[in-house]
Amino acid sequence: MIRTLIRGTGRYVPERVVTNDDLAQWMETSDEWIRQRTGIEQRHWVSETGETGTSDLGLKASKTALERAGWKPEDIDLIIFATLSPDIFFPGSGCLLQHKLGLSTTPALDIRQQCTGFIYGLATADAYIRSGMAERILLVGAEVHSTGLDISTRGRDVAVIFGDGAAAVCLEGVETDEPIGVLASVLYSEGKHAESLMLEAPASRICPERITHEMLDEGRHYPKMNGKLIFKLAVTRLPKITMEIMEKAGIKTLDEIDLIIPHQANLRINQFYEQALKIPEGKVYNNIQKYGNTTAATIPLALDETIEKGIFKKGDTALFLGLGAGVTWGANLYRHA
Ligand code: UT7
């Protein structure tokens, strides 16, 4: 049967580091509050001058992934770009990246699944590959949050969390009888919670124009979050989906999973998750301390680091999982080959 394998990974974060103390100059917050409530110590934001779009970060990450895979851009059959912060309202960042890679007509699609963008993207890529619609896919998760945050006390609950960054993986289909590559994926969404984490405007449903000066004054173009609800949903659903995907893949105990890369939304969420399932120390990989929440980029960013550091080795099985805006939640199991 055809299996989907990762052939190369890459990551890129902008050079500008914004510490918690930096944020405390612009809003009422403190290094102590941010560390205690989220685990975040710093994040990378794009430069305050010039224009750096999400596809620019994605391009840098993609170049590294392509190089490590030994691929040329022309080898790609399809680009899947996961982001909630596209360069422009439309067309999607996948199209912009396609052009920046020097490609002429390679198909590109964007997916808007926020924190589960990579998980949905990997499941989608796996389906394309196993159905024979594509052999080689470039999957990118990238975000530029910093230009869209309310960097004031009004927006502090959201602003302190998010960072900019990108990561990419090259995925290839191989014919094999071995249980390797993407072993299983599980996806969910529950739109009734859409307003618990959303960016309301500009929006096509707002008539007669998508945004007004009044809306800008009220800050309705900034993301709003019911943090407590999202936190509760994450700590209850992530353990459940772990059990579900293990059953789907025929994995009986957590001992058979070598590495768990959860979405990096809040270190406390991941600690609750670890405790709920009594996961042995060292199995869950976190890097939110350095990057904050880079949404669609968090899981591939961590994946790239674990491969580079030799933590995720050939033969190991990894679980990727997360929950975020939508709400959407999901997981993939992947065996490295
Ligand atoms: O990736 C997308 C998915 N998102 C998530 O998974 C996020 C899940 N939620 C969270 O991570 C947490 O809810 C937050 C980190 C966003 C907030 O932490 P919390 O422990 O739930 O705090 P809270 O919202 O209940 O606020 C507690 C207090 C409030 O003050 P009062 O009302 O007690 O006086 C807030 O106004 O902390 C205040 N506060 C802050 N103080 C300093 C909120 N944000 C900040 C801040 N600095 N940045």
Side-chain angles (χ1 to χ4, degrees):
M1 68 189 290
I2 301 174
R3 296 279 194 172
T4 303
L5 299 188
I6 295 172
R7 293 303 199 193
T9 60
R11 67 179 186 278
Y12 177 76
V13 290
E15 280 171 24
R16 179 181 166 214
V17 173
V18 175
T19 64
N20 296 341
D21 286 335
D22 290 334
L23 292 176
Q25 294 171 33
W26 308 319
M27 62 187 79
E28 282 173 35
T29 191
S30 64
D31 178 52
E32 191 191 1
W33 191 96
I34 300 170
R35 278 180 199 249
Q36 275 182 5
R37 301 286 180 127
T38 71
I40 299 167
E41 295 165 16
Q42 60 168 56
R43 72 285 295 138
H44 292 249
W45 282 1
V46 295
S47 161
E48 286 166 293
T49 54
E51 265 189 33
T52 309
T54 308
S55 65
D56 296 310
L57 304 189
L59 176 66
K60 295 204 172 172
S62 298
K63 282 186 173 168
T64 306
L66 288 167
E67 196 184 309
R68 289 181 177 161
W71 293 5
K72 299 185 293 300
E74 295 72 29
D75 294 327
I76 302 166
D77 297 329
L78 171 70
I79 295 169
I80 302 180
F81 201 114
T83 186
L84 67 66
S85 53
D87 300 56
I88 48 179
F89 204 86
F90 74 86
S93 296
C95 293
L96 306 187
L97 175 66
Q98 187 257 24
H99 179 59
K100 287 174 184 169
L101 281 167
L103 296 169
S104 55
T105 57
T106 306
L109 70 89
D110 273 33
I111 51 171
R112 299 281 306 273
Q113 298 311 108
Q114 301 69 246
C115 305
T116 54
F118 181 79
I119 293 164
Y120 266 75
L122 187 56
T124 305
D126 184 42
Y128 265 89
I129 286 172
R130 284 189 294 109
S131 70
M133 275 182 72
E135 265 178 44
R136 289 177 162 192
I137 297 180
L138 175 68
L139 170 61
V140 182
E143 307 286 356
V144 175
H145 283 299
S146 58
T147 51
L149 298 172
D150 183 356
I151 304 171
S152 73
T153 300
R154 180 179 64 179
R156 64 183 178 176
D157 57 328
V158 175
V160 302
I161 294 176
F162 289 108
D164 302 339
V169 298
C170 293
L171 299 163
E172 184 170 34
V174 292
E175 190 66 52
T176 177
D177 293 330
E178 298 285 312
I180 53 173
V182 178
L183 303 180
S185 295
V186 178
L187 305 174
Y188 286 105
S189 73
E190 196 177 19
K192 80 172 183 192
H193 295 300
E195 296 193 354
S196 303
L197 177 48
M198 70 165 176
L199 198 159
E200 190 193 352
S204 54
R205 68 182 179 181
I206 300 167
C207 297
E209 282 196 71
R210 293 178 177 186
I211 192 152
T212 61
H213 289 290
E214 290 73 32
M215 293 177 82
L216 286 169
D217 292 341
E218 289 162 13
R220 288 166 68 184
H221 57 303
Y222 292 126
K224 299 280 175 329
M225 175 169 70
N226 177 347
K228 282 205 184 307
L229 176 73
I230 302 289
F231 195 104
K232 204 169 125 198
L233 292 174
V235 296
T236 49
R237 291 180 183 186
L238 296 180
K240 270 193 202 154
I241 206 171
T242 301
M243 293 300 148
E244 186 182 338
I245 198 165
M246 282 169 58
E247 197 178 327
K248 191 170 176 186
I251 287 184
K252 295 208 167 32
T253 72
L254 279 164
D255 296 340
E256 294 174 57
I257 298 176
D258 303 286
L259 172 69
I260 299 176
I261 301 182
H263 172 51
Q264 304 289 301
N266 185 322
L267 193 60
R268 282 169 50 228
I269 292 179
N270 296 351
Q271 288 164 345
F272 268 95
Y273 167 76
E274 264 184 272
Q275 284 159 14
L277 291 180
K278 298 188 174 54
I279 297 168
E281 223 182 301
K283 200 173 274 211
V284 173
Y285 186 81
N286 291 304
N287 60 9
I288 190 171
Q289 299 89 334
K290 290 189 292 181
Y291 303 121
N293 179 351
T294 58
T295 309
T298 66
I299 292 173
L301 230 158
L303 171 65
D304 184 56
E305 283 190 347
T306 56
I307 291 176
E308 203 173 82
K309 290 179 179 173
I311 296 170
F312 188 35
K313 304 175 295 297
K314 290 207 185 325
D316 284 354
T317 302
L319 170 66
F320 313 135
L321 79 169
L323 177 140
V327 291
T328 58
W329 67 108
N332 321 102
L333 263 173
Y334 180 81
R335 186 163 296 142
H336 204 13

